[in-house]
Each structure stands twice: as C-alpha cells, then as structure tokens.
Amino acid sequence: MERVVSRPNMLAAYKRVRGNKGSSGIDGVTVEDLPKWLKANWSRVCEELLAGTYQPSLVRRQMIPKTGGGERELGIPTVPDRLIQQALLQILQPIFDPAFSDHSYGFRPGRRAHDAVRRAQRYVQEGRRWVVDVDLERFFDRVNWDILMGKLAKRIEDKRVLRLIRRYLEAGVMVNGVVIERHEGTPQGGPLSPLLANVLLDGVDKELERRGHAFVRYADDGNVYVRSRRAGERVMELLRRLYGDLRLRINEAKSAVARVWDRKFLGFSFWVAPGKMIRIRVADKALGAMKVRVRRLTRRICGQSLEKLVQDLRAYLLGWKGYFRLADTPRVFRELDEWIRHRLRAIQLKQWKRGRTAFRELVARGLNRDLAARIAANTRRWWKNAAMGLHVALPNRLFDQMGLPRLGA
C-alpha cells in the first residue's frame, strides 16, 4: 500500500485519470475538480488507505447501447476512486502481467486487439478452419468474488490491498437515488476491472495451453481454433467445465462450434483470397453498426450545415478507420466512401429545398441548366437525385477540403 500511495505513483495515476477524462460519479466531482478535491481531502484519504480503513463510494449506473441491440451496464466510480484504482493498477499490473498467458491480449501493456486478430489469422492459415467461439453471459456481472479474491491472495501479501479491492467489488450501485447492493460481479467502468478479469480467466488460459490448444483471448472474448468439428465439440465441453468451475455461464445461444468464415472476432472475420491466403475483413455486424452510426450522425432532418455534418462525422470515421485498417478489403472501404458522400449530397439537396434555391445552387456549382432544372423540380426524391450529377456540383474534392476522411485511402 505504501507503493500505491507514493508520490510518483499517485502523480502518474493523476495524469492518466486526467487524460482519460470521463464523467463524474455520484458525488458530482469532475476530473477538472480533482486538484481542488485532492488539496482538501488527500491527507485524510491517504491515512485511511495506509490504515486499511478507506471505504469507496457507491458507483453510478450508466446504461450504454450495445451494437447488437440492447444495453450494457457500466458502473462509474467517483473520480477520486478512479484515481485510487488507477494507482492500484499501476502497482498490481507489473506483478500479475508477466505471468499471464501469451495467448491473452486484452488490456495488457504492449498488446492490442490487432495483435490478437493477426494471431487468429495465423491459426486459420495453418489449417485450423473450425472455431470454438464462446460467449460468456454477462461476464463482468457474474464474477464470483470469493474465487477472484482467492486468486489475488496467492500473489498479494498486503491485507490492506486485498481488503480495498474487496470493498471496491462490494461497493453498491446508485440507481435513481436508490442504493442497490451487489453480491457478485466487477463493474465495468473502473480502471481495475480489466486486470481483475484477466486474473480470473488466466486459469482457463493455462489449462488450454497445457493441452496444446491454439487460442486467442481478448478480455472475455476468446476463440479456440481446431481442425475439425469433432475436436471443436470436445473443446466446447472442456470450456463448459472450466468456466463452470469459475461460476461463469456460457451463453449457449451466442456460442458455437462453426467454420471460421461464419463467426466474427473483435469486429473482424476471415476470407480466402486467391492462392489460398487467409485475409481479414470487417465483419458484417460491424459494417451494419457503422452504417447505423453514420445515419444517426447525418440525420437529414437535423438542419445543420454540410460543413458541420462533416465535422461531426470526422472524429468517428477517423477512429473507425484506425481500428479497421487491418482489413484487406479496399473495395469495401471505397464503397463505404461512396455511400457516405452520396448521403451527404442527398442531405445538402434536401436543405436547398425545392425550386429556385436548388436550381440556383446547382447551376452556380457547374451543373448544366437542363439537369439542374430537372433535379430542382423534384428535390423530394433526395436519394435518387443525389446520384444525378451532384458529383459535379458537390465533387469529392469538396468533401476532402472539408476534412471528410477517406476510408479507402
């Protein structure tokens, strides 16, 4: 605990929490308020941490939409508790991480989702064309505290640290002013939760390693690659037993032994290119989710200028491109670029409205008068008319100048 509250460690945690920003917890203290809060409270909190008496605050429940429908529950700790959890993480991660399986990639220093997908690609290229794809049912909500604390106690001798972690697990949830007690689970939203998830699941990784299986795990998302359905069924039975020992449940409806082409991993899937090379593509579900997000950001009834719409899109598209650049599908990216520009042209056409305004704007942008007149006479057919010469009035270079990223570039 002395290492946790040391000045260098706390300064590093402070910088990380400030950089991550995020919303406030139940106490209303924001990241911007943190310096003032520390000046008034840190002496007391530090003494309580060293004495082993510190009591974390309740977490605030926040529901966020899932890409496949439904909602995911986050537990948002207060900013001071996020600071303490980050300080704990910085001391505990170097203790646990070196012993984790080489097949584990999620929330580990120097490892990314792309590394996990590349490793899965190698397994498929080697001839493992069947995958055991296991979905854990509400994993973070079902973590058994006693099992987790038993694993932590094997590596952590300081009882104050163990008590603090237990209190973070037991912290209740504030929902509409009502306190809800929890008896299992580690709430998503705190810096410490990903490390605790890796600690709990490392035993499954080690057993798969011992048996010589080819697998990749990213947090609670893991795939085992095998050469036949029969081998896959045996592995599935093994995983049912291993996860059952941890009191975790497999979502049977979302889990399967299947051909690798029919399943996704971290938003990607695989296909066979000429020469029997295994390539990576964006999974259909991820493409669908991306289009839903773009439609939401560019609703045609929003009344915003084209420039403002492009700026709203820019941050999302840059992030999406940065993640999915791993895919070997340039044609798909070019088609997405065309679809996005078509959508923006249709929105602009609607905003010009019917009649003289549309006609005047189209002619001023280089469209011949006959075509401009035809489009202006029926601007309610936004989508169809957006393909009738608007690439002249609103050329690709205009969107480039506005800062619209090209996914296919």
Side-chain angles (χ1 to χ4, degrees):
M1 186 60 79
E2 281 75 13
R3 293 173 59 195
V4 171
V5 301
S6 68
R7 182 176 178 80
N9 189 57
M10 292 305 303
L11 282 174
Y14 172 79
K15 291 178 181 178
R16 187 63 179 266
V17 170
R18 291 272 292 183
N20 290 341
K21 299 182 180 179
S23 58
S24 60
I26 64 164
D27 60 356
V29 175
T30 66
V31 172
E32 290 73 22
D33 297 331
L34 189 53
K36 183 179 178 181
W37 186 93
L38 288 171
K39 187 175 181 179
N41 297 280
W42 178 244
S43 178
R44 170 185 58 81
V45 170
C46 184
E47 289 179 7
E48 291 177 357
L49 289 169
L50 290 172
T53 59
Y54 178 77
Q55 185 64 49
S57 300
L58 300 170
V59 299
R60 178 173 61 84
R61 187 174 75 173
Q62 179 173 321
M63 307 303 292
I64 60 171
K66 297 170 67 173
T67 56
E71 291 183 315
R72 174 180 288 111
E73 179 180 330
L74 294 185
I76 309 299
T78 63
V79 172
D81 276 327
R82 291 212 294 273
L83 175 69
I84 296 169
Q85 285 195 34
Q86 180 63 38
L88 273 170
L89 176 66
Q90 290 167 183
I91 298 302
L92 297 180
Q93 187 124 39
I95 295 173
F96 285 94
D97 194 82
F100 285 153
S101 167
D102 183 55
H103 297 261
S104 169
Y105 287 84
F107 307 106
R108 298 184 60 191
R111 290 175 166 241
R112 305 175 303 159
H114 286 181
D115 300 325
V117 176
R118 286 292 191 198
R119 186 161 191 173
Q121 181 188 27
R122 290 199 299 272
Y123 289 145
V124 180
Q125 187 67 64
E126 291 168 0
R128 297 176 175 87
R129 305 299 170 86
W130 290 85
V131 61
V132 184
D133 185 0
V134 172
D135 182 271
L136 293 176
E137 188 176 279
R138 298 178 60 193
F139 167 71
F140 284 94
D141 296 332
R142 298 194 184 281
V143 170
N144 182 279
W145 295 342
D146 292 334
I147 294 175
L148 173 60
M149 293 306 301
K151 292 179 178 293
L152 291 170
K154 292 178 181 179
R155 303 293 301 276
I156 301 174
E157 296 181 358
D158 193 328
K159 302 300 182 183
R160 296 168 299 178
V161 173
L162 291 172
R163 282 197 299 269
L164 180 59
I165 294 173
R166 181 84 189 208
R167 286 170 182 160
Y168 273 121
L169 293 173
E170 294 174 345
V173 181
M174 180 72 78
V175 182
N176 298 322
V178 178
V179 178
I180 299 176
E181 293 185 357
R182 294 185 301 115
H183 303 284
E184 61 181 1
T186 173
Q188 289 177 268
L192 203 54
S193 291
L195 176 65
L196 299 181
N198 280 332
V199 169
L200 183 67
L201 295 176
D202 187 58
V204 176
D205 296 341
K206 295 297 175 53
E207 181 61 21
L208 291 174
E209 277 185 347
R210 189 183 71 80
R211 293 169 179 258
H213 288 299
F215 70 97
V216 186
R217 182 175 66 80
Y218 192 95
D220 61 326
D221 196 347
N223 285 351
V224 183
Y225 296 89
V226 295
R227 299 181 185 273
S228 69
R229 175 180 286 278
R230 186 175 180 181
E233 296 292 353
R234 289 196 298 268
V235 172
M236 180 66 84
E237 285 303 314
L238 170 66
L239 289 173
R240 286 192 181 100
R241 178 173 61 79
L242 293 176
Y243 288 130
D245 291 343
L246 296 176
R247 311 284 177 84
L248 298 172
R249 301 179 189 173
I250 290 179
N251 187 329
E252 298 291 346
K254 294 184 178 180
S255 302
V257 177
R259 288 286 192 177
V260 292
W261 335 113
D262 300 327
R263 308 297 289 184
K264 63 180 180 64
F265 181 54
L266 301 179
F268 295 94
S269 57
F270 302 106
W271 61 286
V272 183
K276 297 185 178 181
M277 294 297 295
I278 303 301
R279 301 295 187 191
I280 300 169
R281 66 182 181 90
V282 183
D284 292 340
K285 187 175 180 179
L287 282 175
M290 181 264 200
K291 289 191 171 185
V292 168
R293 182 67 181 276
V294 170
R295 289 189 184 100
R296 187 179 301 125
L297 290 170
T298 59
R299 286 189 295 266
R300 280 178 271 180
I301 61 172
C302 61
Q304 294 178 333
S305 68
L306 197 62
E307 291 80 1
K308 179 64 167 62
L309 287 176
V310 168
Q311 288 307 307
D312 290 345
L313 271 176
R314 177 177 171 79
Y316 172 69
L317 292 178
L318 285 174
W320 194 91
K321 179 181 180 179
Y323 183 74
F324 285 106
R325 71 180 187 275
L326 195 65
D328 303 308
T329 51
R331 180 179 60 82
V332 172
F333 292 146
R334 288 194 299 269
E335 290 174 351
L336 285 172
D337 283 332
E338 293 169 3
W339 175 75
I340 292 169
R341 289 192 294 263
H342 191 151
R343 184 167 179 84
L344 291 171
R345 289 175 179 129
I347 292 169
Q348 181 63 85
L349 184 60
K350 181 179 181 181
Q351 290 181 349
W352 282 336
K353 300 181 180 178
R354 189 172 183 176
R356 293 182 179 179
T357 301
F359 177 78
R360 183 175 63 250
E361 294 288 351
L362 291 169
V363 171
R365 285 166 170 76
L367 214 61
N368 72 70
R369 298 178 70 83
D370 289 341
L371 182 56
R374 292 210 316 270
I375 295 174
N378 194 18
T379 50
R380 289 183 180 177
R381 303 180 69 180
W382 323 114
W383 188 258
K384 181 177 180 180
N385 285 339
M388 294 176 59
L390 255 71
H391 65 282
V392 175
L394 300 171
N396 293 352
R397 67 175 179 275
L398 174 65
F399 296 110
D400 293 339
Q401 292 166 1
M402 289 181 181
L404 183 70
R406 291 199 184 202
L407 304 178

